Amino acid sequence: MKKTNDTTPIDRRTFLAGAAALGSSAVLLRSAQAADQVHRHGLERPHEPTTTTLKNAPLLERIDPKPTLPPGEPGKDYTPVITPNSISLPWKIVNGVKVYHLIAQEVEHEFAPGLKASCWGYNGRVHGPTIEAVEGDRVRIYVTNKLPSGTSVHWHGLLLPNGMDGVAGLTQRVIQPGETFRYEFTLRQHGTYMYHSHHDEMTQMALGAIGLFIVHPRRPREERPDRDFAFMLSEWRIDVGTSRPNPNEMTNFNIFTFNAKAFPGTEPMAAQLGDRVRIRIANVAAMSHHPIHLHGYRFRVTETDGGQIPQSAQQMETSVLVAIGQSRTIEFVAEEPGDWAMHCHMTHHVMNQMGDQFPNMIGVQSGDLDARVQSLLPGYMTMGSEGMAEHGLHIESGHTQAPPNSIPMRGGPGPFDYITMGGLLTLLKVREHLAHENLDPGWYRHPKGTVASRASREDLRRDGIHV
Amino acid sequence: MLLSLFPFLFFIVLAAAGLNGCTAIAVDPHAGFPQVSQLVNERVGQEIAWVPGPEEAAPVPTTISARLKKGLNETDSVQIALLQNRNLQALYTRLSIAQADLVQASLLHNPVVDLSSGFPVAGGVVDLGFGMAMDFIDLLYTPLRKRVATAQFEETKLRIAAEVLEVVWQTQTAFYRHQANEQMLELRHQVAATTAASSELVRVMREAGNVRELDLASELALAGEAKLDVRLAEIAVRESRERLNILMGLWGEDAQRWTVASVHLPEPREPLDAERFESRAIERSLDLAAAEQLIVAAAENVGLDRISGLFPEVIVGGKGERDGSEWEPGPTFTLPIPLFDHGQARVARAQAELRQARELRSALVVHIHAVARSTRDRLSGHRDRAFHYRDTLLPVRERILHETQLQYNAMQVGPLELLRAKEQQIEAGVRYIEALQDYWFAHADLALLLAGHLPPTEPTPTGPALEQAPRFPFPTLR
Ligand SMILES: [Cu+2]
């Protein structure tokens, strides 16, 4: 197609070039040093900004032209993020650069007690550990491929030189099994981002080759949170009785996870009364958007993966829709103690290994049929005629034998009754005193008279309720 | 002078009778049966009985009644057939016929007496003639004829023994089929119960408003077909039962009451020593022995024809003639001159028949070898098939059922899938029984062959229960 005028769409390279041009001389100096450093290591010279003039100057405001700064320190520059059921990837500083090492590999992963599968992850985890850094940090990330297939890592949402974008075939060679690649760039933004394989995406992401990439602000505009939680949503197809997610599945996902854990495998968030709580939620599921609903609070949506939302534009919500490829950050003050559910509001997403091939048995009066069928099949009983609620408990108690390595429609035990939810469910536990910072404080002890209970006869009589 | 003629004639007849007396055989209505009985006993270890009696069926002896009451096994059914089968009784009468032929062959032609008279037209005394003649050469030929007939009698005994063995085979085969049919019926009932349960389940699901009328109709169709399969299996059981009744010669109450001791076909036996199959089949072949007797008979026939071609008959006799008042006795001697027919055609025919008998024997040897090999292979093939079902497919179906039950428990598959898995497990059982039945058919074939008789060549028919009921009786739409 022939270009007709000069107002062509602006690509990132042009942006970066412009950004550099408008930046201070320090940028140029630091860039030159970095380039030199890289050169001395005998590696490819990264594509650094040049001094080209840019045409659409007003749009440049969107890009933070900050230079590489001294490595940010946890506690001092930021409140470290808590990734429930996971950790942050360790790093070291070499010549002012934060150096990380990701190892892509097959990992035996437990989704919840009773369900394990062979997945693909990083550094022995599924998903990979959270990469945590600070705006202005220079990061160098080595990626070693120990998978049986080629791979690459894309830094989802991050602004970086094109050749660091990690799209196999398009911006780099495939990292072949056994090879180690180096990625290096300066973080020019803050927010909730991700990393994930960008080679045979369908397979590798479905098997778990994804992770969180949290960039803290160097100088936050708002108060720092006391508790900063990060979650990655994903979905899987693991047929009951199998032990490997099926990456070919397009529609029927039966395991939905927070940080690759399905309830009751999810580690709760613990917060102290009055804590300023931030929850970051990113989603690179295959097919599903997830409206995540938090009980007990209304919260502000403070960030998208594009950046911070101006305070005046922040919405108050009790649910936040996190579409595929997006991240959302919410914040609130933990002012109401208790055990609060946070879950996806798609009802099938709070189910573990539901069988959607099971016929609708609701209301079926089976009469003496069970006895008749038992003469042919001794283990038979008609199920589901009153719903699925009892089923998980039957399986759990061993009354009903399910295939090994499966958690069909299983929930978990609660303080009052069996919780009939699984999947995308976790708990926010707010306590006046937390004995241990990040540990599950156990079930909430409700003050007397604050738990719904069976209405007394006097209550009913008093209020004129006839049942 | 007539008196002087008689001693001469008397001498001839006496001499002939004397010679014949040494060779002639007495008529014995049971001749040959002991040998047949011994042959059968040697080969199948069971007794046969010849009860020439009223043609209508005799009452079943109490010993047999007792056996019938306790539930039949295959050996019992064979023994009863050997004692009671009416066709066998008819078969044994062929022994009498063959023995009668043998007796006939050993008898001399009767002497011929002829009287003559002459009436002189011009007047005078009536001429009287008296003659008595006898085919003297018969004395020579009778032993030859007897040898032919003896060989034929031997052949008959062998053939009858072989046919008795065939009745044993028929009974075994019918017994296996009946056992299989009974078991099939049991399984068809199970399939029907399974489909009845699934259609009932869909009916209550329909009542709850959860499935379509279409789903219910489909299930009802399956259940209906399964019921028909039960009906077909019942017909097959009735047929195989009546086939056994015919073979065991049972009628009346006895035919109605008996049951089989077990509806389960036994498992295949250890493979027989394959090395000696062919030679044993040849060694023990009654068919081959009978064919050899035919060769003997044909060879004797050639000798007979060769001699009788030259001297078909020599009539020796005496005659008296009264010429006036004087009797003039004198010997007579008639001899055809083999000028034109010196028996060459008959000899050629007999020789051709001998060659034919030899060729048939050779053909039979080839045949027995081939049938022995193919039967052995069929036996081991069906044995493998049966074991493959027993050791692999049935356990796999069992496992599928178990796993489907687990998947059902996990609510991953519905109850209909579970019942289908049960149905398929039963169907695998049906195919196992088919394999067992084929094995036992081949076993009976091989037993028959090794006992000395070639199994009948027509393919063993399959019972109606084994056939698939046509599911789409309509012609293809164009
Ligand atoms: Cu969801």
Side-chain angles (χ1 to χ4, degrees):
Chain A
M1 200 186 285
K2 193 178 177 290
K3 288 178 188 174
T4 48
N5 53 39
D6 281 336
T7 56
T8 52
I10 294 146
D11 62 29
R12 181 163 300 169
R13 181 176 164 179
T14 327
F15 274 137
L16 288 169
L22 292 170
S24 65
S25 58
V27 181
L28 290 174
L29 180 64
R30 207 167 268 278
S31 300
Q33 281 172 347
D36 190 38
Q37 204 175 350
V38 168
H39 192 71
R40 269 189 279 114
H41 284 90
L43 294 168
E44 196 187 324
R45 194 188 168 92
H47 193 96
E48 285 295 321
T50 52
T51 50
T52 321
T53 333
L54 210 71
K55 283 172 188 165
N56 288 302
L59 281 174
L60 291 173
E61 288 174 6
R62 286 192 186 170
I63 298 168
D64 190 340
K66 278 196 194 91
T68 297
L69 299 169
E73 288 174 41
K76 179 170 158 280
D77 293 307
Y78 63 95
T79 304
V81 81
I82 298 165
T83 313
N85 295 107
S86 191
I87 57 163
S88 287
L89 182 64
W91 43 265
K92 59 185 171 184
I93 297 168
V94 180
N95 294 335
V97 177
K98 279 187 178 168
V99 177
Y100 303 78
H101 186 194
L102 276 181
I103 301 163
Q105 59 190 181
E106 185 161 300
V107 179
E108 180 83 5
H109 174 68
E110 187 185 67
F111 287 86
L115 180 64
K116 283 184 184 166
S118 303
C119 302
W120 288 5
Y122 300 94
N123 300 49
R125 292 181 172 271
V126 174
H127 312 303
T130 301
I131 296 176
E132 208 177 349
V134 182
E135 193 180 6
D137 280 352
R138 178 93 181 156
V139 295
R140 185 180 300 144
I141 307 167
Y142 291 96
V143 176
T144 299
N145 182 8
K146 290 189 176 174
L147 294 172
S149 126
T151 191
S152 76
V153 179
H154 164 62
W155 317 100
H156 181 118
L158 291 172
L159 305 175
L160 34 64
N162 185 244
M164 291 292 157
D165 198 38
V167 180
L170 178 65
T171 61
Q172 68 164 79
R173 279 205 304 112
V174 172
I175 311 174
Q176 295 300 340
E179 288 185 331
T180 299
F181 269 43
R182 184 188 59 118
Y183 294 86
E184 184 166 334
F185 43 88
T186 297
L187 299 169
R188 303 177 181 284
Q189 71 211 98
H190 65 266
T192 304
Y193 306 103
M194 306 172 234
Y195 63 92
H196 62 77
S197 161
H198 223 302
H199 176 68
D200 191 9
E201 296 79 359
M202 177 202 99
T203 306
Q204 303 197 354
M205 290 170 74
L207 291 176
I210 58 182
L212 285 159
F213 200 133
I214 308 294
V215 185
H216 296 278
R218 179 71 61 163
R219 271 173 237 98
R221 273 174 234 166
E222 294 185 29
E223 219 178 304
R224 271 207 242 144
D226 302 300
R227 322 283 298 171
D228 191 343
F229 298 104
F231 291 102
M232 172 73 97
L233 308 180
S234 54
E235 61 192 350
W236 318 71
R237 174 73 198 189
I238 306 172
D239 281 321
V240 164
T242 69
S243 58
R244 196 184 290 275
N246 178 4
N248 301 337
E249 182 57 61
M250 286 183 71
T251 48
N252 296 321
F253 299 94
N254 62 356
I255 292 289
F256 301 88
T257 55
F258 280 118
N259 292 335
K261 291 281 183 177
F263 186 82
T266 49
E267 209 171 84
M269 297 174 275
Q272 195 143 337
L273 202 62
D275 273 355
R276 191 182 175 87
V277 179
R278 173 183 290 166
I279 301 175
R280 307 161 182 264
I281 307 162
N283 179 11
V284 279
M287 296 290 287
S288 304
H289 311 312
H290 298 287
I292 302 297
H293 174 61
L294 173 66
H295 289 220
Y297 292 93
R298 50 184 189 158
F299 50 74
R300 290 181 295 128
V301 182
T302 58
E303 278 179 358
T304 67
D305 40 352
Q308 196 147 6
I309 303 171
Q311 217 159 3
S312 59
Q314 289 176 5
Q315 299 189 52
M316 300 304 288
E317 301 279 10
T318 64
S319 295
V320 59
L321 177 65
V322 190
I324 297 166
Q326 290 184 336
S327 76
R328 293 290 181 266
T329 302
I330 63 171
E331 286 189 28
F332 57 94
V333 175
E335 57 200 5
E336 189 63 41
D339 290 341
W340 302 106
M342 185 174 90
H343 63 91
C344 174
H345 221 286
M346 292 194 181
T347 52
H348 285 110
H349 293 185
V350 283
M351 271 282 170
N352 285 326
Q353 292 191 305
M354 230 206 64
D356 61 358
Q357 301 302 304
F358 198 80
N360 181 3
M361 299 296 287
I362 299 296
V364 171
Q365 304 289 317
S366 56
D368 69 338
L369 189 64
D370 281 19
R372 278 170 55 195
V373 177
Q374 273 158 16
S375 67
L376 297 158
L377 298 160
Y380 178 85
M381 65 179 247
T382 301
M383 293 191 295
S385 50
E386 289 129 37
M388 309 279 185
E390 304 304 315
H391 188 260
L393 196 55
H394 281 163
I395 296 281
E396 197 138 306
S397 62
H399 291 154
T400 310
Q401 200 195 348
N405 195 45
S406 70
I407 48 172
M409 277 160 295
R410 271 174 66 176
F416 294 99
D417 269 317
Y418 191 74
I419 301 169
T420 54
M421 285 186 289
L424 273 177
L425 166 67
T426 188
L427 302 175
L428 169 68
K429 299 193 169 187
V430 180
R431 298 288 185 275
E432 240 169 291
H433 303 289
L434 274 182
H436 305 281
E437 273 287 286
N438 294 333
L439 290 184
D440 183 351
W443 299 116
Y444 181 60
R445 294 188 180 191
H446 301 79
K448 207 169 185 306
T450 63
V451 178
S453 58
R454 191 159 58 192
S456 70
R457 218 175 283 178
E458 295 84 73
D459 289 341
L460 297 173
R461 199 170 40 233
R462 182 191 63 225
D463 296 335
I465 304 296
H466 303 285
V467 285
Chain B
M1 285 293 102
L2 203 58
L3 285 175
S4 61
L5 181 65
F6 274 109
F8 175 69
L9 285 172
F10 188 68
F11 168 73
I12 292 172
V13 172
L14 207 65
L19 282 173
N20 197 29
C22 305
T23 57
I25 300 163
V27 171
D28 173 4
H30 286 159
F33 186 74
Q35 289 100 306
V36 170
S37 174
Q38 198 195 330
L39 272 176
V40 171
N41 187 261
E42 224 164 61
R43 280 145 204 270
V44 297
Q46 306 227 47
E47 299 300 324
I48 57 173
W50 190 0
V51 216
E55 274 141 40
E56 66 275 15
V60 169
T62 46
T63 48
I64 292 179
S65 283
R67 279 190 196 229
L68 289 176
K69 276 196 192 98
K70 76 175 165 63
L72 279 181
N73 61 27
E74 175 251 318
T75 319
D76 289 334
S77 68
V78 168
Q79 183 59 78
I80 293 169
L82 287 180
L83 297 175
Q84 290 266 119
N85 183 294
R86 308 313 299 174
N87 281 329
L88 282 183
Q89 298 301 320
L91 183 67
Y92 301 148
T93 59
R94 260 171 55 197
L95 281 171
S96 308
I97 296 168
Q99 203 261 348
D101 288 346
L102 175 60
V103 171
Q104 184 63 50
S106 70
L107 295 178
L108 284 178
H109 293 162
N110 290 326
V112 177
V113 173
D114 80 288
L115 295 167
S116 64
S117 67
F119 301 101
V121 179
V125 188
V126 175
D127 281 343
L128 289 175
F130 171 81
M132 183 167 167
M134 187 164 172
D135 186 355
F136 194 72
I137 210 151
D138 219 21
L139 284 172
L140 199 61
Y141 292 158
T142 302
L144 291 174
R145 275 209 307 272
K146 212 176 82 184
R147 265 147 68 182
V148 174
T150 304
Q152 282 167 344
F153 186 45
E154 284 307 312
E155 192 249 357
T156 302
K157 284 190 279 190
L158 292 164
R159 290 244 184 265
I160 284 173
E163 285 186 45
V164 175
L165 294 182
E166 196 169 313
V167 170
V168 171
W169 172 87
Q170 283 171 353
T171 312
Q172 285 170 335
T173 310
F175 191 84
Y176 297 141
R177 169 161 301 127
H178 185 60
Q179 252 182 327
N181 285 349
E182 292 251 36
Q183 212 179 341
M184 293 286 187
L185 179 59
E186 211 176 276
L187 295 180
R188 288 288 163 219
H189 274 301
Q190 281 186 34
V191 173
T194 309
T195 51
S198 61
S199 67
E200 174 62 12
L201 184 67
V202 176
R203 194 184 63 73
V204 291
M205 286 167 81
R206 175 78 190 131
E207 271 174 14
N210 299 2
V211 294
R212 304 166 298 175
E213 191 63 34
L214 170 63
D215 304 313
L216 178 55
S218 304
E219 280 306 317
L220 288 174
L222 284 181
E225 275 172 17
K227 264 189 184 170
L228 276 185
D229 287 346
V230 170
R231 204 69 196 89
L232 281 174
E234 281 170 352
I235 293 170
V237 164
R238 173 52 71 189
E239 274 180 359
S240 54
R241 185 185 175 86
E242 293 308 335
R243 170 91 185 124
L244 267 175
N245 274 335
I246 292 171
L247 287 164
M248 294 192 293
L250 296 180
W251 64 290
E253 283 190 351
D254 292 314
Q256 298 302 320
R257 292 230 178 108
W258 61 265
T259 55
V260 289
S262 161
V263 297
H264 299 283
L265 281 166
E267 295 215 327
R269 298 206 179 127
E270 282 307 300
L272 298 171
D273 178 11
E275 292 294 307
R276 299 206 54 241
F277 267 16
E278 292 176 47
S279 56
R280 269 170 71 199
I282 294 289
E283 270 166 34
R284 295 175 62 92
S285 175
L286 295 173
D287 297 324
L288 206 55
E292 264 148 18
Q293 288 304 322
L294 278 186
I295 293 171
V296 170
E300 298 289 358
N301 239 341
V302 172
L304 182 66
D305 284 342
R306 196 168 278 146
I307 299 171
S308 65
L310 289 174
F311 303 102
E313 48 190 342
V314 175
I315 312 292
V316 179
K319 69 165 190 180
E321 214 172 288
R322 197 186 65 175
D323 196 8
S325 60
E326 196 81 358
W327 279 97
E328 291 170 0
T332 62
F333 190 75
T334 316
L335 178 72
I337 299 164
L339 190 60
F340 309 111
D341 175 5
H342 42 89
Q344 68 272 51
R346 268 185 295 156
V347 170
R349 184 196 160 91
Q351 281 173 332
E353 279 171 351
L354 176 59
R355 282 201 304 278
Q356 187 186 44
R358 285 194 176 124
E359 294 302 344
L360 286 174
R361 185 196 170 280
S362 302
L364 195 58
V365 170
V366 172
H367 195 137
I368 291 170
H369 274 288
V371 171
R373 287 191 299 265
S374 75
T375 310
R376 180 196 59 204
D377 289 351
R378 195 149 51 85
L379 186 76
S380 70
H382 290 314
R383 186 173 182 278
D384 291 349
R385 201 175 130 222
F387 281 156
H388 190 62
Y389 273 110
R390 189 196 65 182
D391 300 335
T392 306
L393 288 170
L394 291 183
V396 160
R397 281 288 163 204
E398 184 75 41
R399 225 168 79 207
I400 290 174
L401 183 61
H402 174 71
E403 292 298 330
T404 310
Q405 174 83 60
L406 292 184
Q407 291 286 332
Y408 170 75
N409 291 350
M411 294 182 91
Q412 303 296 302
V413 302
L416 293 184
E417 279 89 340
L418 179 58
L419 288 165
R420 281 305 164 262
K422 177 68 192 173
E423 201 185 319
Q424 281 170 349
Q425 184 211 20
I426 301 167
E427 291 296 344
V430 166
R431 286 189 292 279
Y432 172 51
I433 294 163
E434 283 170 0
L436 273 183
Q437 184 179 245
D438 287 343
Y439 167 82
W440 284 107
F441 284 167
H443 195 272
D445 283 2
L446 194 67
L448 179 63
L449 190 68
L450 293 181
H453 188 39
L454 276 170
T457 46
E458 65 262 39
T460 32
T462 318
L466 306 185
E467 283 159 18
Q468 279 287 328
R471 303 255 159 174
F472 298 104
F474 307 106
T476 320
L477 296 174
R478 303 210 168 196

